[in-house]
Amino acid sequence: MTTTNGSNEAIPTLQLLDPQGNRVTTRGTKGYRDRAAALTAEDLRGMYRDMVLTRRFDDEATSLQRQGELALFAPARGQEAAQVGSAHALRPQDYVFPSYREHGVLHVRGLDPVDRLRFFRGSDHGGWNPTEHNTSVYTIVIGAHTLHATGYAMGVQRDGTPHDKNDGTAVITYFGDGATSQGDVNEAMIYAAVNDAPVVFFLQNNQWAISEPTSRQTKIPLYKRGEAFGLPSLRVDGNDVLAVYAATQEALERARTGQGPSFIEAFTYRMGAHTTSDDPTRYRTSEQEEQWRRRDPIDRLAALLRAEGALDADFDAEIKAEGDELGAQLRDGVRALDGGSAVASTFDDVYATPHGVVAAERAWYEAYEAGDPPASQYAIADSAQGGAR
């Protein structure tokens, strides 16, 4: 498959499943086709279930925000294949650094759906313990987490983790096209490249950095950014779950076996708004949106499953029932969240061991909340450090 940029230049793009749900045989893709062919019917049904439930999560969260139950939400509609396909290639020991839109990745990693909305409710600064699922919390500062991912990957190296495609450890970090303009992302790729860090840079190019199209961010295809830093780089059809899975599996195995970092550009489309505070009708056309609706990643996989006899009315009904259960869980769980613990939790995990200054700052804040603050938080901190600040 090839796509074009603004100048109609052909851009090679890995595709294994076309928009009509047909498997694609293209010269030079046999290695990827073999990886996709190893997926069983149950594997594909599992991916389909995860994509449908991710969209239900997305729709329910958007509705909750419209009802005033969430302060904000960043929808992922249209990006389910990029997220679910890549997440299915991960192993439990791999570590994930998401941005703020990776709801499908978090679903596959097994995070509680209500916990995923604590941040958007304002009841928590993160929402979950990263060590429980080897998945970091949402990152709102654009691109900052790519440095965290690279640093963690360098730590994996220094821990002496074995180089093995199954038992080794890889790190993956997700970010959008707008983040490629941030210095942090470019610095992260420099460090990753020169240190051969076991990290995969997974770019979801949904073509819009809020209202800025990709054409106003770059004059070359974004996967070439990775090539510029010496990273093996590939562009895939981000609405093709098979291509995403195969490309990510290859890159993760490269990382686990000590062959260094990789860069994947999943070319997709954000079918909804950037966040619930955004109005995309102000900067893009309904014709463009309809064009991409015809490339819906869920419909594409459904067509394949039906053609191969793996999707019937009973399975559809089963997933719908799971979606209804998920919706009820979200509505009840989010409304029951306490909105008052967020600030105090800031002090919980600053250091791995108890720290006098942090304890003093917590004491000052708790006294402040109680209506009886000390004269100065710094006086408490000075006391904790023996008078020296």
Side-chain angles (χ1 to χ4, degrees):
M1 172 192 176
T2 57
T3 55
T4 61
N5 60 15
S7 63
N8 291 321
E9 174 191 359
I11 305 171
T13 304
L14 176 66
Q15 184 185 78
L16 303 180
L17 194 64
D18 70 18
Q20 290 72 46
N22 303 305
R23 291 184 185 265
V24 176
T25 301
T26 306
R27 178 173 295 182
T29 64
K30 185 178 185 304
Y32 297 109
R33 284 186 276 121
D34 288 346
R35 291 178 183 275
L39 293 167
T40 66
E42 281 307 305
D43 292 332
L44 296 177
R45 282 158 61 98
M47 288 181 173
Y48 178 73
R49 172 186 278 110
D50 289 340
M51 290 167 67
V52 172
L53 292 178
T54 294
R55 183 163 295 184
R56 181 59 183 268
F57 173 88
D58 212 72
D59 291 344
E60 289 289 344
T62 300
S63 295
L64 284 166
Q65 195 282 328
R66 298 306 188 203
Q67 296 164 25
E69 301 294 345
L70 301 177
L72 188 73
F73 184 68
R77 174 178 279 263
Q79 298 178 219
E80 294 90 354
Q83 297 187 12
V84 170
S86 59
H88 270 259
L90 291 164
R91 293 188 174 272
Q93 72 271 18
D94 296 331
Y95 209 101
V96 177
F97 286 85
S99 59
Y100 49 80
R101 203 186 300 275
E102 279 68 47
H103 315 309
V105 177
L106 303 184
H107 171 81
V108 175
R109 295 297 275 181
L111 275 81
D112 182 276
V114 175
D115 286 346
R116 290 181 247 153
L117 295 178
R118 289 179 181 273
F119 177 83
F120 294 106
R121 171 81 164 180
S123 64
D124 197 287
H125 287 287
W128 60 87
N129 182 344
T131 61
E132 292 179 358
H133 299 278
N134 281 356
T135 302
S136 185
V137 296
Y138 290 121
T139 301
I140 301 301
V141 179
I142 303 299
H145 59 296
T146 58
L147 286 170
H148 308 158
T150 297
Y152 190 94
M154 292 168 64
V156 167
Q157 285 179 313
R158 285 149 181 77
D159 285 343
T161 304
H163 291 162
D164 184 271
K165 73 174 186 177
N166 295 316
D167 297 328
T169 297
V171 179
I172 189 168
T173 180
Y174 294 86
F175 53 99
D177 45 290
T180 62
S181 299
Q182 294 289 331
D184 284 356
V185 175
N186 294 275
E187 291 159 13
M189 287 193 283
I190 293 171
Y191 271 92
V194 299
N195 288 283
D196 286 325
V199 58
V200 176
F201 294 90
F202 193 96
L203 161 63
Q204 293 181 86
N205 180 2
N206 66 23
Q207 306 182 55
W208 294 96
I210 310 182
S211 59
E212 285 293 287
T214 308
S215 60
R216 291 177 60 89
Q217 302 172 63
T218 180
K219 296 190 72 172
I220 63 170
L222 286 172
Y223 79 93
K224 289 184 175 292
R225 294 276 180 95
E227 290 181 348
F229 293 101
L231 278 59
S233 302
L234 178 69
R235 185 191 232 212
V236 304
D237 180 348
N239 285 18
D240 173 359
V241 70
L242 301 187
V244 171
Y245 170 83
T248 309
Q249 185 186 61
E250 177 190 58
L252 290 168
E253 288 179 1
R254 187 183 295 125
R256 295 191 201 107
T257 54
Q259 298 179 62
S262 304
F263 186 101
I264 296 172
E265 176 191 354
F267 187 71
T268 180
Y269 190 80
R270 192 194 75 217
M271 291 170 67
H274 173 72
T275 70
T276 47
S277 66
D278 173 43
D279 177 9
T281 64
R282 299 183 63 183
Y283 53 83
R284 65 188 193 192
T285 65
S286 58
E287 289 79 12
Q288 184 187 51
E289 292 178 348
E290 179 57 33
Q291 177 187 10
W292 279 92
R293 284 193 191 96
R294 293 194 294 270
R295 303 177 186 178
D296 188 293
I298 296 178
D299 293 346
R300 186 182 304 201
L301 181 55
L304 172 69
L305 290 174
R306 290 193 184 97
E308 298 186 350
L311 179 60
D312 56 23
D314 289 343
F315 186 55
D316 261 337
E318 179 184 321
I319 297 175
K320 183 180 185 305
E322 289 183 43
D324 291 342
E325 183 179 342
L326 172 63
Q329 179 186 1
L330 287 170
R331 292 190 295 272
D332 294 342
V334 167
R335 288 170 179 146
L337 289 176
D338 178 11
S341 61
V343 177
S345 68
T346 304
F347 303 98
D348 288 346
D349 300 304
V350 179
Y351 291 99
T353 57
H355 193 282
V357 172
V358 176
E361 291 174 342
R362 178 196 289 272
W364 184 92
Y365 174 74
E366 290 175 346
Y368 174 83
E369 282 290 295
D372 186 26
S376 170
Q377 66 188 87
Y378 300 113
I380 297 179
D382 286 346
S383 175
Q385 289 194 325
R389 175 159 54 87

